[in-house]
Amino acid sequence: MAAAIDGVLPATLQELVKKSKVLVVGAGGIGCEVLKNLVLSGFTDIEIIDLDTIDLSNLNRQFLFHREHVGKSKARVARESALSFNPDANITAYHDSVTSTDYGVNFFKKFDVVLSALDNRAARNHVNRMCLNADVPLIESGTSGYNGQVELIKRGLTQCYECTPKEKQRSFPGCTIRNTPSEPIHCIVWAKHLFNQLFGESVEDEDISPDAADPEAQEAAAEAKDTGSAGDAPEGLNEKESEPATANGNVVRINTRQWAKDCNYDAGKLFNKFFNEDINYLLRMSNLWKSRKAPVPVQWDTLLIDGAGSKGPELARQTHKIWTLEECAHVFANALKELSAAFLKLEGNDTLVWDKDDQPAMDFVAACANVRSHIFDIERKSRFEIKSMAGNIIPAIATTNAITAGISVLRAFSVLQAKWEQCKAVYARLRLNGRNQFLVPDAFFPAPNPNCYVCASDPAITLRIDTKRVQIKAFRDEVLIKTLNMVNPDVTVESTGSILISSEEGETECNEQKLLSDMNIVDGVILKCDDFFQSYELSIIISHFDAERDDVLFEVIADKNQLQPKDEKPVEPEAEPSSRKRAANGNDATDDGPSTSKRSRLTEVEDDDDDCLVVEDDDDVEEQVQESVEDTVAAATNKLTVDCPQKTATKRKPSKTLDDEDVEDITEILDSSDEEVGPTKCKRTKLEETRAGEVINID
Amino acid sequence: MKMDVEESAKETGVELTDAENELYDRQIRLWGLESQKRLRTANILISGLNGLGAEITKNIILSGVNLVKLHDDKLVTEEDFCSQFLAARESLGNNRAEASLTRARALNPMVDISADTQPLSEKTADFFGQFDVVVINGASNEELLRIDTICRELGIKFFATDVWGMFGFHYAGLQKHCYVENVIKYKVISKPNEKVKYETVSTPVQREVEYPSYSNWLDFNINAPNYQRKLKRDGPGIILLRVLQNFRSTYKRDPSYKTREADIALLEQIRDELVPNSALSSDTLGLLFAQISPAVAVVGGVVAQEIIKVVTKMEAPHRNLFIFNPETCMGYVEQIGVN
């Protein structure tokens, strides 16, 4: 209530604080701190929105919440607690999603400044668009571990949140998950899919059975035919097997869920099915194992001679121990028992929902992932570690949140006074930079990206997409909604004006299952997309490519210059990025020499020949990579992520067409819903460098 | 090396309960189980329950230490409501440490929290000796020097810290401090004729560092010719700290919002005497009244993070003078008396 006491704040600031109307988006780790700072500073007109409820694991940092509040609305409890600090404040709390159509541009226009404290990119993108449209200054913040970031987004002055491309969520091709896992995360994703197959909402592209349509195995079949040898190609296999492959290659297991139920969830039968029979099936696709180590099936009876017994619950509590194979089997049996009991109690078509904080669900995934890891000779992990990976947990701590929220509200002071020069982005770090700083303001405002597909006038993107394998529904859900963050898009074909996708329910339902190419959406076609709610229009230029085995099926290219072949237009880092790098990292000018030469090494790392698109979501990883490349001492505690060096899609050789009808299933690890997801644009410059290095070859 | 870390943590003889594992899950994922066990045994003194004291207290209690002693002989004033959120409105006129107890305990019922209202000047080595870390807010330089000396003799980690308005600092007196830092390097894992692939390798490295005594700051000459280039680069924050500490020792109080204009004039006078023609503007001197919540949150967050580093013996604590500039939001570390 500083503004309520004359003489505490300078008079102009005091008046502005008293009369300003502020929106806080998110009442989590940063939001709680922001709200406290606002009421104590003397803001009296505050609205706060959050759709989440309070969880026990929030209480170590979201200090407006206590044990008795678990399960209640974050926004409402935050309001109550903040009012006890300053009863004179007026706070309106919304227990709701900020992307709901109730909060349109007119809602945002009411505010003098918006402070966002969100935990996921989709909502951040949305709030960015709303604030740009409403022309309200937005102070965007994020933390991840010891790292924090605050930046101002103001139309016409700064970059918008979407001016720089964000690293995509890490995703994996279906055949890696189903046939050829090579990392613990592959087995963890598979185990989550197995959970869903048995108890969860059944998703078609989460099949866990061997994928007989794996192009690599098929190539082998073709080769085998050519050379006249009998081979042991999947086709031959299918005839012998009682489970024939369908046209899309999925082995028909007449409803895994029903089969498991008919077996009375017999632990031994299920275990043998998933970890013995299916593995034997995979072994017969011998081409897969020519250059890989072949999996070794395991058998229930040899593992647990005396059956499962009752050790499971006790073992499951040893979360930091790496369970032996036998221990995994015990935990599996116990989790299966609990989950099946819970599942059978459900009514109608209800299903269980996998949750990292649900004991048996997490036990099940940890046990199954480790058994599969054992089979494929992949390192096994403790339940604690698996929870981090399966739940995509980005650790958050009270101190970083407090520091970040403090900077956020100090920036709000500057915004209200229109002291724009004082509003440069600030980064909080664990370790000192070359100038002995760890709270590091940027040296200047990076200019808005003229090709930004959100804040540029007449925004357009190029979409590389396999039009022969992507259906209209997937185009809407995966590309427009999940990737381009629209809420309710309308799409028309520019040349003909025909409606491809309508935001009116049911109007274009008949198109949904058709492939883009069936609808004549082929190379060169321009689509006009319009999201009325976001007041957002975007042109999409389709660029067809034939996806290979491990390719993802589409990629958004925001800057069309990127499509230029390498030798026609060599991409060179401009002078600016290096100075920007200095701004972001606060390094001394003298540091630039060595790090420039080392940066080329970084590019090589990113040009990893691994041809599936594996990009980290977490900016921490970037930080890690950069720091390590510069041979500096990097953050100590990000062990959870350091073993996944950043990789970027680089394989761009369109080659032969696959006649596969099925849309290749790409598995995404979704945002965790309860964590502050990381500094949003930590390394602006770093990203640009990445782009510069990421040269795309088009034959 | 990693084994050493684990071994020494075992010496604490602490095992976390299921409830603790659950509550501290997210932070354990950041700093590890051993660090959490060390926090579990730490006893912390927070002296001076102003807004900054409240922020540090909040963060430290949330982190899951063993014991926090709230110490203050001052009473809650109207000014405290600018940032001291642990004291309720109704507690106006009551002792600040006692007024903070209820809300402090609600933050984390697993931490032992109590209050002490005896004046700081009466506190001797016996008292400070009960703690692993001692944090002193808002004390005079004479008092800080006395306590730093006691802490040096007893091997207790000492922090002096303050916020005036939006400006803040902390001074770390950690004597000889050992910690572990993970050094991460890239290792080539590809074969010679393949495309180059890397793997990150993280090695814990044990380090030992000396922290000079508080007297080094009192003796530090900001007008020294060889310091001027640095002073120009890092801005007038360090001059501001000098001016404010000088004001406190001259007038036996801090600048007050009740006499705002007069006190700004006094500050200007001290500034011009200490460092003629400094870059410290009179506008900045207008930001030094009471304790402004967001700035206190930044400094309190930094100090608490330093305490966590010290207790867990993970990562390098700042050596040794931290200064926060509220206008740029730059936070940097000045090495005072470090060779």
Side-chain angles (χ1 to χ4, degrees), chain B residues 46 50 127 173:
Chain B
I46 314 281
N50 52 19
F127 175 73

Side-chain angles (χ1 to χ4, degrees), chain A residues 439-673:
Chain A
L439 304 178
V440 189
D442 248 340
F444 54 85
F445 288 110
N449 175 2
N451 295 316
C452 174
Y453 68 84
V454 174
C455 71
S457 57
D458 240 349
I461 57 151
T462 299
L463 179 70
R464 292 182 80 246
I465 188 163
D466 191 335
T467 56
K468 294 174 189 166
R469 286 169 67 187
V470 178
Q471 295 168 336
I472 302 295
K473 184 178 190 306
F475 171 72
R476 186 191 65 199
D477 294 348
E478 300 297 320
V479 180
L480 300 183
I481 296 178
K482 268 197 199 163
T483 307
L484 295 169
N485 250 116
M486 298 184 192
V487 175
N488 207 0
D490 289 281
V491 180
T492 53
V493 181
E494 190 192 49
S495 55
T496 63
S498 64
I499 299 169
L500 188 69
I501 295 171
S502 167
S503 58
E504 296 292 325
E505 208 162 313
E507 222 171 70
T508 45
E509 209 179 301
C510 53
N511 291 348
E512 284 189 350
Q513 303 307 319
K514 290 184 182 153
L515 295 170
L516 287 170
S517 56
D518 293 344
M519 297 294 291
N520 232 356
I521 310 303
V522 294
D523 195 71
V525 168
I526 297 175
L527 299 175
K528 289 283 181 194
C529 307
D530 180 4
D531 190 298
F532 176 75
F533 170 47
Q534 289 181 334
S535 318
Y536 175 46
E537 287 175 32
L538 175 71
S539 301
I540 297 181
I541 304 151
I542 298 291
S543 165
H544 172 79
F545 81 113
D546 294 314
E548 287 190 67
R549 177 187 187 253
D550 283 348
D551 279 346
V552 289
L553 292 178
F554 68 88
E555 184 195 14
V556 168
I557 296 162
D559 183 350
K560 53 187 176 297
N561 293 333
Q562 284 192 6
L563 273 180
Q564 301 278 337
K566 186 184 182 181
D567 35 13
E568 273 180 36
K569 187 176 185 291
V571 189
E572 276 176 38
E574 291 158 30
E576 195 185 41
S578 75
S579 59
R580 264 193 213 173
K581 171 189 181 305
R582 199 171 69 217
N585 291 324
N587 284 339
D588 265 334
T590 48
D591 291 345
D592 271 4
S595 65
T596 309
S597 62
K598 279 169 187 162
R599 225 173 287 146
S600 61
R601 258 170 61 194
L602 179 65
T603 312
E604 285 176 48
V605 178
E606 290 166 349
D607 274 357
D608 191 303
D609 210 4
D610 198 330
D611 48 7
C612 69
L613 185 67
V614 184
V615 192
E616 283 298 327
D617 174 46
D618 189 347
D619 279 348
D620 252 15
V621 176
E622 281 176 34
E623 181 81 354
Q624 289 277 339
V625 172
Q626 176 132 358
E627 286 191 353
S628 5
V629 165
E630 292 180 8
D631 283 335
T632 56
V633 182
T637 36
N638 298 306
K639 315 180 187 83
L640 302 174
T641 48
V642 289
D643 50 3
C644 337
Q646 187 191 6
K647 299 165 188 171
T648 309
T650 47
K651 191 155 181 177
R652 294 281 184 277
K653 278 181 293 180
S655 60
K656 68 183 193 56
T657 311
L658 299 171
D659 288 326
D660 190 346
E661 303 260 329
D662 193 28
V663 175
E664 186 163 296
D665 27 14
I666 300 300
T667 306
E668 275 212 353
I669 303 213
L670 295 173
D671 263 332
S672 137
S673 59

Side-chain angles (χ1 to χ4, degrees), chain A residues 238-351:
Chain A
N238 289 340
E239 289 162 16
K240 291 174 223 153
E241 282 288 320
S242 56
E243 298 174 322
T246 60
N248 65 17
N250 291 338
V251 173
V252 179
R253 169 176 291 143
I254 303 161
N255 201 332
T256 308
R257 187 184 307 232
Q258 189 59 43
W259 171 80
K261 196 177 170 188
D262 294 345
C263 298
N264 279 325
Y265 300 99
D266 181 289
K269 273 189 193 163
L270 266 64
F271 190 94
N272 281 338
K273 182 78 195 159
F274 304 131
F275 302 118
N276 190 287
E277 290 162 37
D278 281 356
I279 303 302
N280 277 319
Y281 188 101
L282 279 176
L283 279 172
R284 271 169 268 161
M285 300 183 189
S286 61
N287 252 66
L288 294 176
W289 319 113
K290 276 183 178 163
S291 57
R292 292 183 184 89
K293 188 162 180 198
V296 181
V298 292
Q299 186 124 22
W300 178 259
D301 339 319
T302 52
L303 209 57
L304 297 184
I305 301 165
D306 304 321
S310 56
K311 284 187 193 162
E314 195 200 318
L315 285 165
R317 282 210 303 277
Q318 299 177 17
T319 57
H320 293 280
K321 187 184 179 223
I322 295 173
W323 303 328
T324 65
L325 191 59
E326 189 198 333
E327 287 168 340
C328 288
H330 281 294
V331 176
F332 169 83
N334 186 61
L336 186 68
K337 203 167 82 190
E338 290 188 36
L339 291 171
S340 57
F343 182 69
L344 291 173
K345 270 188 214 148
L346 296 174
E347 289 179 11
N349 287 328
D350 279 2
T351 56

Side-chain angles (χ1 to χ4, degrees), chain B residues 99-111:
Chain B
S100 306
L101 275 177
T102 307
R103 286 183 183 172
R105 286 180 179 142
L107 290 171
N108 187 349
M110 290 193 250
V111 181

